[in-house]
Amino acid sequence: MNGYCYFILGILVLAAGYFTYGRVLERIFRPDASRQTPAVACTDGVDYVVMPRWRVFLIQLLNIAGLGPIFGAVMGVLYGPAALLWIVFGCILGGMAHDYFSGMISLRHKGENLPEILGRYLGSQAQWVSRAVCIVFSVLVGVVFAVGPAAILSPMTGWSVSAWIWIIFGYYFLATILPIQAIMGKVYPLFSVALIIMVMGILGVMLLAPFADSMPAWMHLPRMEVLPDLDFFHNRHPADFPLFPVMFITIACGAVSGFHATQSPLMARCLKTEREGLPVFGGAMITEGIIAFIWAAAALTFYGSPEALGGATANGKAPALAIQTISESWMGSVGSILVMIGVVILPISTGDGALRVTRLMIADSFKLSQEQLSRRLMIAIPLFAAAIAVSSMDYAVIWQYFGWANQLLAAATLWAVSIYLRSKKRCYWPAAAPAAFLSLVVFQYLFSSPEMCGFSEEASLIASTLLTAVIGVLCLFRGSGLEKAEEPSL
């Protein structure tokens, strides 16, 4: 089977995963169409607002699909075509289960934020730790996804990076304090157009590449072999970074990401019925996986090998340069501009959601109603003062810990889901299995990384396996000891 067939097969498997495994997850959770959702029972016109399913889907997709499914995918394929397998099967077996279950549990508990969910099922200490982690985590996401787009927009427009940072933060502030339908509900459909153009443009070039000779000359299709290098089972990273566990941390948003669980409560407060959960939470995750798969395949196709791609991203060169080179070569100057606009819009649309959910986490911590604008401003003003202060810092060292912290958050969320399902006497393995795998990935990274423990590979694997096993036993024992998970009527 040649690379072109593998490319098409990967996309088809991702789509099929939604319609098959997604239905399995739905049958396990058992959504109830007659049960009132928080948007219906707790309508406040600000955060609890019923919106059409298509609009909620677009907001969820743009909230979770920052630079991760593009930059992470491009950097992930430095390890070789094995990254394509992780995107496909990680997205279906890990990411969709993570996003669907965490979103639906939030839906069942009045749109609770992730720290409250973790506290409910992992204990009060987990709640306070996760609350601090999630707030810091979300602020960092908001800041990075303002600075990153500003750095891209500056040379395109001639305006300074600092000017663009202020403009982006101004938009973030409005999106954080105004009713969700006022900004996100109206702007995101427009943002989605750029996203669709970006993805469909790259996808179209790759699908038509084998037929370039028979296409009209004005289309300027490149003559190339799609995925010419398919050595799935060898680590190809130019710097010889270990494939396990680093690749599974590098590619997060395109496969499974703890950040998504912090965003899902925003949309859990906007669904009309529980039946909309799978297309919104699961569908957005699969769509993000398709985006990551397309960009990973595009990078391997354009550069021909992980080693050549490594040369384009070495010595501090940002993945954005490789992405711009690909888009200019395949789609011309106009197409390249459209692609880069999409690359800018994705992180901005994630950053505003991150800061909005931070406001809600803080409000939940102090049990502050958010119906009044004054209450929202009371939280938002100091929040944005802190975010702006962080944006002026050199957080390169801090950000290197973002990857494993993100996957640790995903593992914690999946363990909480496992406890929830076990307490309700339902099949919990679709959550427990990826929770164990991600725990093993994170612990192996922490134990083996020279910056952390610096253990040998063998010692790290033994310690990681034992610690994962202990956590798994404790979580499942807790699930069996809990009474049937209480779900308040709305």
Side-chain angles (χ1 to χ4, degrees), residues 113 116 131 269 360-368:
N113 282 303
E116 279 63 43
R131 180 173 289 156
R269 303 182 185 201
L360 294 174
M361 287 185 204
I362 296 172
D364 287 351
S365 300
F366 296 98
K367 300 186 181 338
L368 294 174

Side-chain angles (χ1 to χ4, degrees), residues 388-408:
I388 292 171
V390 171
S391 70
S392 63
M393 297 170 56
D394 181 6
Y395 47 80
V397 176
I398 298 175
W399 199 246
Q400 70 177 322
Y401 299 105
F402 176 86
W404 66 261
N406 185 35
Q407 298 304 65
L408 182 61

Side-chain angles (χ1 to χ4, degrees), residues 84-220:
L84 300 175
L85 298 178
W86 168 234
I87 291 172
V88 172
F89 295 106
C91 180
I92 296 171
L93 301 177
M96 185 164 57
H98 173 277
D99 286 20
Y100 176 68
F101 284 136
S102 63
M104 292 302 291
I105 292 174
S106 174
L107 186 69
R108 284 283 173 90
H109 291 289
K110 298 183 179 181
E112 277 186 346
N113 282 303
L114 183 60
E116 279 63 43
I117 293 172
L118 295 184
R120 184 182 295 273
Y121 295 107
L122 297 181
S124 58
Q125 290 181 331
Q127 178 178 5
W128 284 103
V129 171
S130 63
R131 180 173 289 156
V133 170
C134 287
I135 289 175
V136 172
F137 193 79
S138 296
V139 170
L140 280 176
V141 169
V143 169
V144 170
F145 286 172
V147 175
I152 296 173
L153 287 168
S154 178
M156 293 174 64
T157 61
W159 295 6
S160 68
V161 172
S162 59
W164 274 112
I165 289 176
W166 281 103
I167 291 171
I168 294 171
F169 269 119
Y171 163 74
Y172 281 177
F173 188 78
L174 293 177
T176 297
I177 65 170
L178 293 178
I180 193 165
Q181 73 274 22
I183 296 289
M184 290 183 172
K186 289 184 171 60
V187 174
Y188 274 37
L190 299 177
F191 282 1
S192 66
V193 173
L195 172 61
I196 292 170
I197 291 173
M198 175 190 70
V199 176
M200 295 306 295
I202 298 298
L203 175 61
V205 170
M206 295 189 68
L207 290 179
L208 295 175
F211 313 102
D213 291 335
S214 60
M215 291 289 123
W218 59 266
M219 295 186 70
H220 300 293

Side-chain angles (χ1 to χ4, degrees), residues 15-57:
Y18 169 79
F19 291 104
T20 55
Y21 194 60
R23 298 304 175 189
V24 172
L25 301 179
E26 194 175 42
R27 284 198 295 271
I28 291 173
F29 190 85
R30 303 174 193 172
D32 183 357
S34 65
R35 183 185 176 92
Q36 276 196 325
T37 62
V40 175
C42 309
T43 301
D44 63 1
V46 179
D47 298 306
Y48 292 89
V49 179
V50 174
M51 289 194 291
R53 185 176 67 182
W54 67 269
R55 197 182 297 270
V56 178
F57 167 81

Side-chain angles (χ1 to χ4, degrees), residues 144 159 166 224-225 240 246 249 289 311 336 403 488:
V144 170
W159 295 6
W166 281 103
M224 62 185 183
E225 181 182 354
D240 201 30
V246 185
I249 289 176
S336 173

Side-chain angles (χ1 to χ4, degrees), residues 29 58 68 169 307 309 360 398 423 428 476 487:
F29 190 85
L58 288 176
F169 269 119
E307 291 80 7
L309 174 61
L360 294 174
I398 298 175
S423 71
Y428 54 85
L476 297 182
E487 295 169 347

